[in-house]
Amino acid sequence: MNNLLMLLLFVFGSVALMVFLGERYARPADPERMARMRRWLVPLVGVMLLLSLLDFYL
């Protein structure tokens, strides 16, 4: 039980640190760069779904 509480405390602390650093140092997203990433993201998610369906049924 003690290990579980330490693990949860560690996870909570690391997430809080990521949020703090992200709010402080993150740059605003460039719309052109986001459009380029979106162009690749949708097909890759589709491929991932198809592969997971194949893995499930085969």
Side-chain angles (χ1 to χ4, degrees):
M1 186 68 178
N2 196 16
N3 288 338
L4 176 64
L5 292 176
M6 289 298 291
L7 181 64
L8 288 174
L9 181 66
F10 176 73
V11 168
F12 179 75
S14 60
V15 168
L17 182 65
M18 285 189 296
V19 167
F20 174 74
L21 292 175
E23 287 180 351
R24 186 166 183 157
Y25 296 112
R27 297 184 314 242
D30 182 27
E32 181 181 323
R33 184 167 184 242
M34 294 302 290
R36 273 188 283 140
M37 288 173 62
R38 189 179 309 122
R39 185 181 70 192
W40 285 97
L41 186 65
V42 174
L44 288 176
V45 170
V47 168
M48 181 188 68
L49 287 172
L50 287 174
L51 289 175
S52 64
L53 280 172
L54 283 173
D55 186 41
F56 182 75
Y57 286 113
L58 296 180

